[in-house]
Amino acid sequence: MAFLSGLSAFPITPSDRDGRVDTKALRRLIRRLCAAKVDSIGLLGSTGTYIYLTREERRAALAEALDEAGGQTPVVVGVGALRTDEAVKLAQDAKALGAAAGLLAAVSYTPLTEDEVFEHFSTVAREGGLPIVIYDNPGTTHFHFTPALVSRLAKVPGIVAIKNPTDKSEAIESHLAGQRSIVPEGFSIGYSGDWNATEAMIAGADTWYSVLAGILPEVCMKIVRASQTGDAAEARRLGAALTPIWDLFKQFSSLRVVYVLAELLDICRAELPRPILPLSAVAKRQIVEALERLPAGIFR
């Protein structure tokens, strides 16, 4: 089995208007994920707004999450930063605290070349001492990992997995097969993009890196387990039942929607980091209506 497999749930990082992390609310979120028995927790990913937090805030959030998880659920933590030396320090912090792996994106202001990204990732893996998951997130970084670059990085000691974006569901199977052919055995291949993840898991992906699972893990676990046991029909049925949520993710972004879901479900109330603004009352009403359209009992 790959180092990372199954469902990796990505919670928000609750904070107040001034960006101070609400550790009690974060612990509540982590507790829910552990109770649902997710396979790993993706702390401080894009949904966890890592890029808006200082090194000290990230370290404090990770310490709280790891303490709440109690060593029972592996924690993968975002270590991305604009500068290589900062990313190395974040990886070292994560290793010292006990994280299972670091999630590293090609964050940049100046567009990066493939050689620059290769050196960045290789340095963080080597000097950070923490297993690294490649985070291919062109929607925010505007950098896409080519097959050639993935193949090079997969051979670097300490780089153990990749979190791919998804586009068209019908292209996932061929993408997965192509990527399997260029990475070493045991290298974990996973996908984000929740609305296409069911097809990715049915196709044989190792991991679903899920935004929705960070707030509603139970139904996402059902999809993953159905896929893993070969029950594609049940996985697709559950995935299709979530269409109202997927449509909202596409319309407003998954980040904005899950903040509203956390409040509506009385899990926690958190402020988006500025300059991101909260959704309007009209948009929030759409989310309420979407929840009402979901089949009864789907979240249990």
Side-chain angles (χ1 to χ4, degrees):
M1 182 179 289
F3 173 71
L4 285 170
S5 60
L7 181 66
S8 189
F10 280 65
I12 64 173
T13 306
S15 60
D16 64 17
R17 194 176 186 86
D18 296 318
R20 289 186 293 264
V21 176
D22 183 342
T23 55
K24 289 183 178 180
L26 178 60
R27 280 180 171 270
R28 196 153 55 245
L29 285 163
I30 299 301
R31 197 176 308 130
R32 285 168 51 84
L33 301 182
C34 292
K37 300 187 184 303
V38 300
D39 296 295
S40 64
I41 295 169
L43 194 76
L44 303 179
S46 294
T47 304
T49 57
Y50 73 98
I51 204 68
Y52 298 93
L53 300 174
T54 65
R55 179 184 176 188
E56 291 72 24
E57 288 168 337
R58 294 202 214 183
R59 189 164 47 207
L62 177 59
E64 295 285 346
L66 287 167
D67 184 65
E68 188 63 45
Q72 300 303 305
T73 306
V75 175
V76 180
V77 63
V79 295
L82 282 170
R83 288 173 32 166
T84 301
D85 61 309
E86 289 298 322
V88 167
K89 292 172 186 174
L90 290 164
Q92 291 170 340
D93 289 345
K95 179 179 174 58
L97 288 168
L103 182 65
L104 182 60
V107 183
S108 68
Y109 180 82
T110 300
L112 300 175
T113 68
E114 290 203 2
D115 284 342
E116 287 167 338
V117 170
F118 180 81
E119 289 300 324
H120 178 65
F121 276 67
S122 299
T123 300
V124 175
R126 181 177 64 252
E127 298 183 12
L130 184 71
I132 293 296
V133 179
I134 300 166
Y135 185 9
D136 189 359
N137 188 21
T140 57
T141 64
H142 308 291
F143 181 89
H144 181 72
F145 287 78
T146 64
L149 181 56
V150 171
S151 180
R152 288 176 69 194
L153 286 170
K155 296 178 178 67
V156 173
I159 297 181
V160 298
I162 186 167
K163 177 179 184 285
N164 290 293
T166 56
D167 185 12
K168 298 178 180 178
S169 59
E170 61 270 19
I172 293 172
E173 188 172 358
S174 61
H175 178 274
L176 178 59
Q179 200 161 81
R180 285 251 188 259
S181 71
I182 61 172
V183 300
E185 185 177 355
F187 187 89
S188 175
I189 299 177
Y191 290 86
S192 56
D194 278 1
W195 49 89
N196 285 327
T198 297
E199 291 305 317
M201 294 307 293
I202 290 170
D206 294 302
T207 312
W208 174 12
Y209 296 94
S210 175
V211 174
L212 186 62
I215 202 77
L216 293 169
E218 293 84 2
V219 64
C220 300
M221 283 293 295
K222 290 178 182 178
I223 292 172
V224 167
R225 295 299 181 248
S227 301
Q228 290 175 327
T229 57
D231 193 348
E234 176 64 4
R236 289 188 173 113
R237 183 189 71 80
L238 291 167
L242 294 170
T243 297
I245 300 296
W246 306 150
D247 289 344
L248 291 168
F249 277 14
K250 294 172 189 177
Q251 182 176 358
F252 299 117
S253 83
S254 57
L255 174 65
R256 294 180 177 90
V257 173
V258 292
Y259 267 75
V260 176
L261 287 175
E263 182 179 345
L264 290 175
L265 298 170
D266 200 28
I267 297 169
C268 66
R269 183 182 179 89
E271 296 278 348
L272 283 158
R274 298 299 177 96
I276 307 172
L277 297 175
L279 291 176
S280 68
V282 172
K284 288 181 179 179
R285 183 59 199 167
Q286 287 181 247
I287 297 172
V288 171
E289 291 170 353
L291 285 175
E292 291 172 347
R293 293 200 304 275
L294 296 177
I298 195 169
F299 298 135
R300 293 197 296 273

